[in-house]
Amino acid sequence: MLSTSKVVFKDYTPKENLLFPPNLSELIDERHPVKIVSNIIDGLDIKSLIKTYKPGGTSCYHPKMLLKVLIYGYLSNIYSSRKMEQALKENIHFMWLSAMSRPDHNTLNRFRSERLKGEIKAIFTQIVLLLEKEGLVSLKTTFVDGTKIEANANRYTFVWGRAVKKHKERIAEQLEELWNYAETVAKDELENTESIDFKEVDSEKVTQTIEKINEVLKDKKVASKVRQKLNYAKKNWADNLEKYKKQQELLEDRNSYSKTDTDATFMRMKEDHMRNGQLKPAYNLQISTHRQFILHYSIHPNPTDTKTLATHLLGFEESYHKAPKELVADAGYGSEENYNLLKSKKIKAYVKYNYFRKDQKSGQITTSQNNPKLAKIREKVFKLLNTSKGIKLRKQRSHDVEPVFAELKHNKNFKRFMLRGKNKVEVEIGILAIAHNLKKMSKAA
């Protein structure tokens, strides 16, 4: 027997006008992360940020609204200002956050890259102190680790410190060769000339020396190759040395930088899809965590973690006006300098050293005949790491700080910065760290 019942569909009249438009807030769950973002940002003190605005002129979008949009964008894996602009027109959560305002991508990007410079760290710190007040984190025990994030820079426009040094040495050598040649041809004219140190040359010295050589060889019979080299040297060497001087100033103590982001250093990346250990312009991000919340972050040009700890700890102290009581880190931080630093700050160092795993297997502490002080430090660290608390913290480290990097890089797919320059990169990390903490806070609520 065939069924006579009809299929019934729910009412669907998309073109029907609503007499009373719904309140967007009613369409969003109270426990949704967007409401956590809004509530937390509303409670922040942003007087310092507001002071960056000058009175007069046309009205501006409120900084709290723009800050909410940026943070929720990063929380939702949206990092492009153009995509945020689109979301403000299409996404109900963004529309509710902005109260139906529609700042364009230029406004969002200017706010992110200009207004938040020097302000984002204070905003981040306020939120961490709120998390501490709620009992979600503690500033006494911190887990420290670092990761490399690719810079928004061209991978093939680079400057290498060794190359700059080599080019300068080559100019000095060739200048000395030209001077020696001039002495053989016009010895009498150069007899009373002051001796020249060719080990250290600058643009002024090169210019003066080339002029002197040209002057004494003016009426002499000179090989065409020498004349060509002198002409080339006169036109290029002084300018080249000025260029190398500026490059060395930008390098400071680094071995490289990218021409399109001079703050970025070339580093070997683990996430290299070619699996050939390719060097890429990047920044070394250091974070301190507790219960997988980010307590502090800092950006460094150093490819290795060893030399980042002092600056990272200084930033922590500047933010919270105190140092942590305990610090847990892997062997990448286990240098004599770092152990002494932590001791001077009265921080208990649960920090492995290079031979810790080997010593665990053998049961004997690796000695250092050349450095007996380091041997004593290792002995103390070995004992501390093998206490019941040391074992607990060592195990907790791999479950605390490392999952944060997994969340940022893999779940949030943040593997490359959008902005260029260390100051702007720090703003991006600040927004990302706030977004990470608020997302975790919404899950804990």
Side-chain angles (χ1 to χ4, degrees):
M1 184 176 177
L2 295 173
S3 173
T4 57
S5 60
K6 294 182 179 180
V7 177
V8 179
F9 294 103
K10 294 184 183 293
D11 184 46
Y12 177 64
T13 52
K15 295 183 179 180
E16 183 179 12
N17 293 326
L18 295 173
L19 185 59
F20 297 104
N23 185 337
L24 292 180
S25 182
E26 295 174 3
L27 303 177
I28 304 171
D29 192 282
E30 286 298 321
R31 292 173 296 178
H32 195 281
V34 73
K35 294 215 168 174
I36 296 289
V37 170
S38 183
N39 292 336
I40 295 297
I41 302 304
D42 280 339
L44 295 179
D45 178 4
I46 62 163
K47 291 176 184 174
S48 177
L49 177 58
I50 290 174
K51 284 180 181 178
T52 64
Y53 290 83
K54 295 180 180 179
T58 186
S59 60
C60 305
Y61 288 109
H62 200 284
K64 279 192 176 181
M65 183 272 286
L66 296 172
L67 186 60
K68 289 177 185 180
V69 170
L70 284 171
I71 291 171
Y72 187 68
Y74 276 63
L75 190 150
S76 306
N77 297 14
I78 300 174
Y79 310 116
S80 163
S81 57
R82 289 182 183 275
K83 289 183 178 179
M84 289 182 199
E85 179 185 0
Q86 184 179 356
L88 286 164
K89 301 173 184 176
E90 301 173 354
N91 188 307
I92 189 173
H93 300 135
F94 282 88
M95 292 162 72
W96 175 75
L97 268 184
S98 68
M100 299 303 290
S101 296
R102 291 184 177 181
D104 63 16
H105 64 275
N106 286 322
T107 302
L108 290 166
N109 200 42
R110 277 197 302 270
F111 180 77
R112 175 174 58 180
S113 60
E114 296 174 16
R115 295 284 183 192
L116 290 180
K117 273 196 298 186
E119 302 293 335
I120 194 68
K121 181 58 77 70
I123 294 168
F124 169 81
T125 302
Q126 284 188 63
I127 293 172
V128 173
L129 291 173
L130 177 63
L131 292 171
E132 185 188 33
K133 187 178 179 181
E134 294 290 322
L136 294 172
V137 299
S138 170
L139 295 174
K140 293 180 180 179
T141 303
T142 65
F143 299 86
V144 177
D145 206 353
T147 191
K148 297 164 190 170
I149 299 180
E150 188 177 348
N152 180 11
N154 191 314
R155 301 171 188 174
Y156 308 106
T157 55
F158 41 74
V159 173
W160 294 97
R162 287 181 183 177
V164 173
K165 185 180 178 183
K166 187 177 179 182
H167 292 324
K168 286 185 69 177
E169 288 173 352
R170 189 176 177 186
I171 287 176
E173 288 170 3
Q174 291 182 339
L175 184 63
E176 187 173 13
E177 288 174 6
L178 288 170
W179 182 263
N180 292 337
Y181 178 85
E183 280 188 323
T184 60
V185 176
K187 188 175 182 180
D188 295 337
E189 288 87 337
L190 295 173
E191 191 173 0
N192 298 321
T193 307
E194 292 182 10
S195 60
I196 300 172
D197 181 10
F198 291 100
K199 290 181 180 179
E200 290 293 330
V201 295
D202 54 32
S203 58
E204 186 178 350
K205 186 184 287 186
V206 164
T207 301
Q208 290 174 355
T209 306
I210 294 297
E211 285 178 357
K212 185 65 178 176
I213 293 171
N214 276 323
E215 183 183 340
V216 300
L217 296 180
K218 184 170 57 175
D219 300 323
K220 302 289 189 295
K221 188 177 180 181
V222 179
S224 59
K225 287 185 178 179
V226 174
R227 192 69 71 183
Q228 286 175 0
K229 184 174 280 190
L230 280 167
N231 290 335
Y232 180 84
K234 186 177 180 180
K235 289 179 182 178
N236 298 287
W237 283 2
D239 291 339
N240 286 349
L241 284 171
E242 280 297 316
K243 181 179 73 173
Y244 300 148
K245 181 182 177 182
K246 290 177 182 177
Q247 288 175 343
Q248 285 184 320
E249 288 172 355
L250 287 169
L251 280 163
E252 294 181 335
D253 57 349
R254 294 182 292 164
N255 61 2
S256 63
Y257 71 81
S258 171
K259 289 181 181 179
T260 49
D261 182 353
T262 56
D263 291 335
T265 307
F266 278 80
M267 306 180 187
R268 206 169 295 280
M269 309 291 285
K270 285 182 181 178
E271 297 81 10
D272 182 19
H273 65 280
M274 297 295 289
R275 299 185 182 277
N276 60 359
Q278 186 181 4
L279 291 167
K280 296 177 183 176
Y283 291 93
N284 188 344
L285 167 65
Q286 296 287 310
I287 61 171
S288 296
T289 68
H290 186 258
R291 294 181 181 172
Q292 296 183 10
F293 284 93
I294 300 174
L295 305 180
H296 180 59
Y297 62 87
S298 58
I299 292 290
H300 304 264
N302 315 69
T304 56
D305 295 332
T306 312
K307 294 182 179 180
T308 62
L309 188 61
T311 308
H312 183 73
L313 271 177
L314 180 62
F316 187 101
E317 291 173 311
E318 287 175 351
S319 293
Y320 304 109
H321 307 293
K322 61 181 178 181
K325 299 292 183 184
E326 300 168 333
L327 188 142
V328 189
D330 64 14
Y333 301 85
S335 67
E336 182 182 0
E337 184 182 0
N338 285 341
Y339 287 128
N340 289 332
L341 171 71
L342 294 170
K343 184 180 178 181
S344 69
K345 293 180 179 293
K346 297 180 180 179
I347 302 172
K348 195 167 280 189
Y350 294 92
V351 180
K352 295 179 184 178
Y353 53 88
N354 288 339
Y355 298 102
F356 178 76
R357 186 176 292 180
K358 177 186 172 184
D359 293 354
Q360 283 285 84
K361 290 179 180 179
S362 65
Q364 294 182 338
I365 300 166
T366 304
T367 59
S368 176
Q369 295 179 351
N370 297 328
N371 193 345
K373 289 182 180 179
L374 182 59
K376 288 183 179 180
I377 291 171
R378 284 177 181 168
E379 189 176 344
K380 290 180 181 178
V381 171
F382 185 84
K383 289 178 181 178
L384 183 63
L385 289 170
N386 280 292
T387 61
S388 57
K389 187 169 186 180
I391 294 168
K392 179 185 175 183
L393 289 175
R394 276 194 285 130
K395 289 179 179 178
Q396 190 178 341
R397 189 197 72 81
S398 59
H399 301 295
D400 202 295
V401 64
E402 290 178 8
V404 175
F405 287 137
E407 169 69 18
L408 299 183
K409 285 189 159 186
H410 299 287
N411 295 347
K412 298 193 73 59
N413 198 32
F414 192 89
K415 297 178 182 178
R416 193 170 190 258
F417 290 107
M418 299 289 294
L419 306 179
R420 292 179 175 178
K422 185 183 176 184
N423 291 336
K424 292 181 180 180
V425 162
E426 285 178 339
V427 171
E428 269 203 277
I429 283 298
I431 298 170
L432 188 67
I434 292 170
H436 170 83
N437 286 348
L438 294 186
K439 185 176 181 180
K440 279 198 67 65
M441 189 179 184
S442 69
K443 290 180 179 179

